[in-house]
Amino acid sequence: MGNRINSPAVLWAVTAVVALATAGCASRGGSGSQPAAAPAPAAAAPAAPSGPKAGMDARGNVTDSSKVEAGSGRTVKGLNGYEGEITGNPARNSKFTRLQIGMSAKQVTDLAGPPTDQGAYVTGKAFIPFYFGSDRHRFEMTYKGQGRLIFAGGGMGEYTGGNLIWIIHNANESGYR
């Protein structure tokens, strides 16, 4: 009876040794017994798709604000060093032309007026344990015939604040999310 091996404990110990050995090899760039893979030739890289991006037409106008993806506009620096994005072309007499990336929600509503609709949602960063940085949630304002404004940040539990990080110009905006 005294010679029995506790198989769950052995399995755990073997798993731990394999994990540590693998992590050690990865931190040194491999085991050293195999040559490093040669980089792929540049010509083999797939070509970037041409044509309009999702939710936009060929002239850069936004046709559907809900389908526009981050990175489809131009990146700009705003107030207090905030970086953001401006997508699409402003409508005639747009209230959005006076706005700057980095403005607070209060500053925006003072200049552009109250939105037609608004709402908040969490981002993937909200699910990172012990992450207390910004951009855990986003706040969105829609303006009929103008477009959408996206805010990031705000305090913990405050879903109506933050700073403007994305202006989406859309003259055909319905005003509702």
Side-chain angles (χ1 to χ4, degrees):
M1 294 291 281
N3 292 337
R4 291 186 77 193
I5 297 175
N6 187 352
S7 52
V10 171
L11 182 59
W12 181 87
V14 170
T15 304
V17 168
V18 170
L20 289 172
T22 305
C25 290
S27 68
R28 290 192 316 263
S31 64
S33 63
Q34 297 178 353
S50 61
K53 296 180 180 178
M56 300 180 74
D57 65 13
R59 293 184 308 226
N61 295 315
V62 175
T63 57
D64 188 349
S65 301
S66 65
K67 293 182 180 175
V68 173
E69 298 175 355
S72 50
R74 69 184 195 283
T75 303
V76 297
K77 273 222 184 247
L79 300 175
N80 301 321
Y82 272 92
E83 285 190 19
E85 182 175 343
I86 300 176
T87 305
N89 301 313
R92 283 186 194 244
N93 302 321
S94 175
K95 300 174 187 178
F96 290 2
T97 56
R98 298 185 294 172
L99 304 180
Q100 293 182 30
I101 297 296
M103 286 183 157
S104 70
K106 177 68 173 137
Q107 288 174 310
V108 167
T109 55
D110 286 348
L111 291 174
T116 310
D117 194 12
Q118 60 190 357
Y121 54 93
V122 297
T123 66
K125 291 180 182 177
F127 301 101
I128 300 173
F130 305 109
Y131 178 80
F132 300 107
S134 62
D135 203 21
R136 292 172 52 89
H137 68 274
R138 299 247 172 122
F139 180 69
E140 181 176 354
M141 293 181 184
T142 58
Y143 289 80
K144 185 174 184 169
Q146 301 289 314
R148 295 182 184 208
L149 304 174
I150 313 294
F151 297 82
M156 287 289 280
E158 179 194 353
Y159 296 105
T160 59
N163 296 87
L164 183 62
I165 61 163
W166 193 5
I167 300 172
I168 303 172
H169 294 285
N170 183 359
N172 301 318
E173 177 67 52
S174 68
Y176 300 99
R177 297 180 57 222

